[in-house]
């Protein structure tokens, strides 16, 4: 059993960025592991829950963004991630971003460590009890529209924690695998009803359109997020360059069975 930590795995004492992640929706689809694995770089293997890989579309509002040394926060702006769940050669879990849509060109600076940002027109709006997220890249092509109705707070089950609680993101730059640590409080999760989801981001990332019904979470968000300084991933001890993490899914991924999933 591979357990994902509900709380932050490490302290970020020297943040590269302070932020708040607010009004966040998670739309998750299950995929065959081999369809996701072929999109990952060397050094990462797809993580699975009950035999499935998962890909998540997560639109939200970036608020209170403040790099070190900047006395005032940047204005809030929408961002939307398309992400999947992975493990490195040391067996540590994290996120791999297939794409990130953002309305603020300032965030393009993160491309220096391989973060796949794309600038576009994004909007988050409330229409009665519904939150509507829309976005499209300036260059044309991928776009999305998500409409969700947040419900009551829920106690996260094992699958909810597995899909939301990740404490590092991996990127690849200059032939090396990098990681960015993150520290924040556990996600406060609500039930959610998905009214609309139309998107072409999965196809643009190299995946077939989702064929399974999505699992949806909503969160009012987190105000004190600390993103650490990105650094190259340390080689695994006693393992070859082509080896995966311990119990890696080679040649076919095996499921992670954790009881208590909703």
């Amino acid at each position: 059993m591979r357990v994902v930590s509900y709380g932050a795995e490490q302290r970020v004492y020297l943040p590269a960025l302070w932020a708040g992640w607010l009004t966040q929706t998670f739309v998750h689809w299950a995929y065959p592991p081999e369809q996701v694995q072929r999109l990952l770089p060397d050094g990462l293997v797809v993580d699975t829950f009950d035999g499935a890989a998962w890909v998540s579309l997560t639109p939200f509002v970036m608020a209170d963004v403040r790099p070190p040394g900047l006395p005032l926060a940047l204005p809030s702006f929408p961002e939307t991630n398309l992400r999947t769940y992975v493990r490195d050669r040391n067996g540590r879990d994290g996120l791999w971003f297939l794409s990130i849509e953002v309305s603020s060109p300032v965030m393009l600076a993160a491309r220096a460590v391989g973060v796949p940002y794309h600038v576009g027109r994004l909007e988050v709006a409330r229409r009665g009890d519904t939150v509507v997220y829309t976005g499209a890249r300036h260059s044309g092509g991928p776009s999305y529209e998500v409409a969700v109705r947040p419900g009551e707070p829920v106690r996260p089950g094992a699958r909810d924690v597995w899909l939301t609680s990740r404490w590092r993101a991996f990127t690849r730059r200059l032939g090396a695998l990098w990681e960015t640590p993150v520290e924040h409080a556990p996600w406060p999760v609500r039930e959610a009803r998905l009214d609309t989801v139309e998107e072409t981001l999965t196809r643009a990332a190299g995946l077939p359109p989702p064929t399974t019904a999505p699992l949806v979470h909503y969160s009012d968000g987190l105000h004190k997020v600390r993103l650490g300084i990105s650094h190259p991933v340390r080689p695994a001890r006693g393992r070859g360059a082509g080896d995966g993490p311990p119990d890696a899914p080679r040649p076919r991924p095996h499921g992670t069975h954790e009881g208590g999933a909703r």
Side-chain angles (χ1 to χ4, degrees):
M1 178 187 299
R2 292 173 181 163
V3 177
V4 172
S5 175
Y6 181 53
E9 290 184 351
Q10 71 278 305
R11 298 297 306 274
V12 175
Y13 293 103
L14 295 174
L17 195 72
W18 295 81
W21 294 338
L22 310 180
T23 318
Q24 181 146 342
T25 290
F26 303 81
V27 182
H28 315 279
W29 294 283
Y31 271 89
E34 58 272 16
Q35 291 184 350
V36 177
Q37 181 63 52
R38 62 185 178 83
L39 302 179
L40 302 180
D42 291 342
L44 294 179
V45 294
V46 65
D47 205 358
T48 60
F49 190 98
D50 284 343
W54 289 81
V55 173
S56 303
L57 182 67
T58 62
F60 62 101
V61 174
M62 280 279 279
D64 304 321
V65 178
R66 183 170 58 84
L70 192 67
L72 299 176
L74 300 175
S76 299
F77 55 88
E79 182 173 317
T80 295
N81 302 333
L82 185 69
R83 71 193 205 183
T84 191
Y85 305 87
V86 298
R87 290 191 178 255
D88 69 5
R89 290 174 178 143
N90 298 292
R92 300 174 308 154
D93 59 80
L95 297 174
W96 175 259
F97 293 109
L98 299 168
S99 64
I100 303 181
E101 316 303 312
V102 69
S103 62
S104 174
V106 173
M107 299 305 292
L108 294 180
R111 285 182 174 178
V113 291
V115 183
Y117 273 112
H118 303 274
V119 176
R121 301 180 304 276
L122 282 67
E123 182 179 359
V124 179
R126 289 188 178 271
R127 301 173 186 171
D129 61 352
T130 302
V131 182
V132 181
Y133 309 86
T134 56
R137 290 183 194 170
H138 285 327
S139 59
S143 61
Y144 64 90
E145 179 176 351
V146 175
V148 63
R149 298 185 191 182
E152 295 299 316
V154 297
R155 182 184 179 90
R159 184 173 60 176
D160 307 314
V161 172
W162 192 93
L163 288 166
T164 59
S165 299
R166 300 289 168 134
W167 307 106
R168 62 183 57 85
F170 296 105
T171 56
R172 190 163 183 85
R173 180 69 172 170
L174 301 175
L177 194 65
W178 294 63
E179 67 172 282
T180 303
V182 62
E183 180 188 359
H184 57 72
W187 282 101
V189 178
R190 293 179 177 269
E191 295 177 339
R193 173 181 172 181
L194 186 64
D195 287 347
T196 302
V197 57
E198 297 178 359
E199 57 82 29
T200 57
L201 293 171
T202 49
R203 184 173 59 188
L207 288 166
T211 59
T212 60
L215 174 67
V216 185
H217 297 100
Y218 177 84
S219 179
D220 296 312
L222 301 161
H223 286 276
K224 296 181 179 180
V225 178
R226 298 161 62 95
L227 291 120
I229 298 172
S230 299
H231 57 85
V233 174
R234 296 182 180 87
R237 294 183 179 179
R239 303 185 66 81
D243 293 339
D247 302 321
R250 306 283 190 182
R252 178 179 176 82
H254 297 287
T256 299
H257 296 276
E258 302 181 36
R262 280 199 299 118

